[in-house]
Amino acid sequence: MMKYLQKIGRSLMLPVACLPAAGILYGIGYWLDPVGWGSNSLASAFCIKAASAIIDQIPILFALGVSIGMASDRDGTPALAGLVSWLMITTLLSSNAVAMYMKVDVSQVPAAFGKIQNAFIGILAGLIGAGCYNRFKDTRLPDWLAFFSGRRSVAIVTAIASIFAAIILYYIWPVVYGALINFGISIVKLGPLGAGLYAMLNRALIPLGLHHALNAVFWFDTAGINDLGLFWSGAEGAVKGVTGQYMTGFFPVMMFGLVAGAFAMYRAANPERKTMAASLMLAGAFASFFTGITEPIEFAFMFLAPGLYLIHAVLTGISAVICAYLPVRCGFNFSAGLVDYILSFKAPMAVNPLLIIPIGAVFAVIYYFIFSWAIKKFDLKTPGREDEEAENLIVLANDNFTEMARVILEGLGGFENLQDYDYCATRIRAEVKDFMQVDERKLKSSGIPGVIRPSKRNVQVVIGPKVQFVFDELKKLIDASK
């Protein structure tokens, strides 16, 4: 079950990768016309409307992305199946359709069906599309139906499955929606404290890969909060000084705190291993500061020093509380890095964005001294302080992806030991036949920040933003070995 949930989380990264395009367009549009939001500038209007075309269709992007990510191969058919499922479910459960089923006026239809086009349903449609594809893509039919054999049968089966899903949702969606709304309201009522609780849980769930599910409740329109969409659009429901509170607190941590924490870990490394620690920490710090991708740093100490990671999660929550209370409001479309920070300055719901700099500077000092103290006090085995010294370390910054892939393949036990393999935003995820053949020391010698073993047969190799290039080289090596 955990593996399945983690795979869903990985699949969500594909549609999320579309959001930076919207962020750039929104940022340019608001910088061109910070007062009229497009009414005073044609170029601004084009940028803002183009960005809205992406943000407003996030549920469909989820349906397509999840169906592709959860499919057994990279064929385009799962995307079509996911779209078919989305169209079927949202049409069958629209307010007008439900009013007809219930024989009542549309105003009497439960509010849940007015919000059927949301990220949760998009993910569900993607899962149905991928599931039907994986199960029926090789189906053989009699000669008189041969045209619909194989992949051509997937859309038909998906449509049938989606009808049954819609029937089930007709009865349970109001309950599920009500539960999501109540959960969201309970957090919102806590104000800044709720923002802090969410931010802390966001970091705490990263090792399990389940933080994406939590994000869907607060960032998108699953439970009516839609913090990300409303921050950038300023549409009905946005509240100046409130909207954006579930994003802002990450900026001081990702742009300043973790960078200082990385420096502290470098300073604490053993003299003979400082070069190795510098290569890991510098690459991770740049990724965190500029793009908000924090996994290269976080996974470097998450399992080596879990107590330190708990401190990091708590500090993230404190940052969110402070930013929500002041108030400071910034937003992102990808993550809380420098690029999104600058683009959000003129967004409709931006409030005191410059305060992020002094707040971040304070958190940098806090992170540095707490990390330095904890590492020395408890002799934490952060990068460069491990008991076993990795040999022949390959530095990722050198972009020697072919050599890295070779070492990783050896560490996984060779291509004969691989049952399945794929990648997400920062990790190569492999399923192995014999877990005893996995050599973690060999894997770490490639220069990666860390290795995760969710189960005996599942291995996650944490690489960072350059994971695609390493994966491509890994695939070439495996294909050449067959």
Side-chain angles (χ1 to χ4, degrees):
M1 182 61 179
M2 185 63 68
K3 177 186 173 183
Y4 187 73
L5 292 174
Q6 290 171 340
K7 191 173 182 180
I8 294 175
R10 180 201 69 196
S11 301
L12 290 175
M13 294 309 300
L14 183 60
V16 167
C18 300
L19 300 185
I24 293 171
L25 289 168
Y26 267 133
I28 294 173
Y30 292 134
W31 274 98
L32 290 174
D33 186 11
V35 178
W37 304 346
S39 62
N40 302 322
S41 167
L42 180 61
S44 172
F46 263 75
C47 288
I48 293 172
K49 287 297 182 182
S52 298
I54 298 175
I55 293 296
D56 294 346
Q57 303 302 327
I58 284 176
I60 297 180
L61 294 177
F62 277 5
L64 297 172
V66 170
S67 58
I68 294 172
M70 296 295 288
S72 57
D73 56 51
R74 295 303 186 190
D75 188 88
T77 306
L80 179 61
L83 180 60
V84 167
S85 182
W86 164 262
L87 294 173
M88 293 284 288
I89 293 174
T90 56
T91 300
L92 288 171
L93 296 181
S94 65
S95 294
N96 289 330
V98 172
M100 181 177 67
Y101 308 149
M102 299 177 66
K103 301 185 185 308
V104 298
D105 185 78
V106 69
S107 62
Q108 296 178 273
V109 172
F113 295 107
K115 289 286 188 179
I116 198 64
Q117 296 190 7
N118 62 72
F120 179 86
I121 299 298
I123 294 171
L124 177 63
L127 293 175
I128 292 173
C132 291
Y133 174 79
N134 294 337
R135 176 66 178 82
F136 296 100
K137 63 185 175 72
D138 297 319
T139 299
R140 295 184 180 182
L141 298 174
D143 290 344
W144 58 281
L145 286 175
F147 178 80
F148 297 103
S149 293
R151 288 174 171 80
R152 289 173 178 165
S153 69
V154 173
I156 299 173
V157 177
T158 299
I160 296 172
S162 299
I163 291 174
F164 282 103
I167 293 173
I168 296 172
L169 286 169
Y170 177 75
Y171 295 100
I172 71 169
W173 174 240
V175 178
V176 173
Y177 180 75
L180 289 172
I181 290 294
N182 290 333
F183 173 66
I185 290 175
S186 65
I187 297 295
V188 170
K189 283 183 177 179
L190 294 175
L193 184 60
L197 179 61
Y198 157 70
M200 183 179 70
L201 290 174
N202 172 279
R203 295 295 93 182
L205 289 173
I206 282 183
L208 303 176
L210 302 180
H211 56 298
H212 299 292
L214 187 67
N215 295 340
V217 175
F218 293 92
W219 291 352
F220 307 120
D221 199 18
T222 302
I225 299 175
N226 198 18
D227 205 46
L228 189 152
L230 292 177
F231 177 86
W232 289 100
S233 67
E236 182 180 356
V239 179
K240 194 86 167 181
V242 175
T243 301
Q245 66 179 331
Y246 299 110
M247 296 183 287
T248 308
F250 292 105
F251 284 96
V253 171
M254 295 182 179
M255 290 175 58
F256 299 93
L258 277 175
V259 173
F263 183 58
M265 287 187 280
Y266 160 72
R267 290 288 305 275
N270 297 328
E272 68 276 10
R273 304 203 66 197
K274 278 190 179 291
T275 301
M276 180 279 293
S279 67
L280 293 178
M281 294 299 102
L282 185 62
F286 270 108
S288 183
F289 179 76
F290 284 106
T291 68
I293 295 177
T294 59
E295 284 183 310
I297 293 180
E298 289 173 328
F299 279 101
F301 70 93
M302 182 184 295
F303 298 101
L304 293 172
L308 194 61
Y309 188 79
L310 177 60
I311 292 173
H312 162 54
V314 172
L315 288 174
T316 303
I318 293 173
S319 172
V321 170
I322 293 172
C323 291
Y325 180 78
L326 286 176
V328 182
R329 296 293 180 269
C330 293
F332 48 77
N333 274 279
F334 180 64
S335 192
L338 180 65
V339 175
D340 277 299
Y341 172 60
I342 293 174
L343 290 173
S344 72
F345 267 51
K346 302 296 182 179
M349 295 295 109
V351 178
N352 301 322
L354 286 174
L355 284 180
I356 289 292
I357 296 175
I359 295 172
V362 172
F363 269 87
V365 173
I366 292 172
Y367 263 78
Y368 177 77
F369 283 105
I370 288 182
F371 272 48
S372 297
W373 171 80
I375 292 170
K376 294 177 181 178
K377 174 70 174 178
F378 301 104
D379 191 25
L380 301 178
K381 302 304 180 182
T382 50
R385 293 173 59 87
E386 303 95 334
D387 293 329
E388 294 185 3
E389 185 173 341
E391 300 174 357
N392 302 318
L393 181 70
I394 299 166
V395 180
L396 181 59
N398 291 337
D399 291 346
N400 192 355
F401 302 124
T402 302
E403 182 63 15
M404 283 195 68
R406 183 190 65 78
V407 176
I408 289 172
L409 184 58
E410 289 182 9
L412 291 172
F415 81 95
E416 302 94 343
N417 195 40
L418 288 179
Q419 185 77 33
D420 190 21
Y421 62 99
D422 207 336
Y423 74 98
C424 62
T426 57
R427 317 174 207 175
I428 290 177
R429 299 170 181 255
E431 183 177 349
V432 298
K433 299 175 183 177
D434 182 1
F435 71 94
M436 294 296 292
Q437 294 187 37
V438 177
D439 185 344
E440 290 195 23
R441 185 178 180 186
K442 185 71 174 180
L443 288 170
K444 291 178 180 179
S445 74
S446 66
I448 60 172
V451 179
I452 306 172
R453 302 288 293 271
S455 64
K456 284 186 176 181
R457 296 183 58 193
N458 289 286
V459 183
Q460 297 178 10
V461 184
V462 182
I463 293 175
K466 298 179 181 180
V467 62
Q468 177 189 333
F469 305 108
V470 179
F471 178 84
D472 289 343
E473 294 302 319
L474 179 67
K475 190 174 186 304
K476 289 178 184 177
L477 291 173
I478 294 173
D479 291 341
S481 300
K482 292 180 178 177

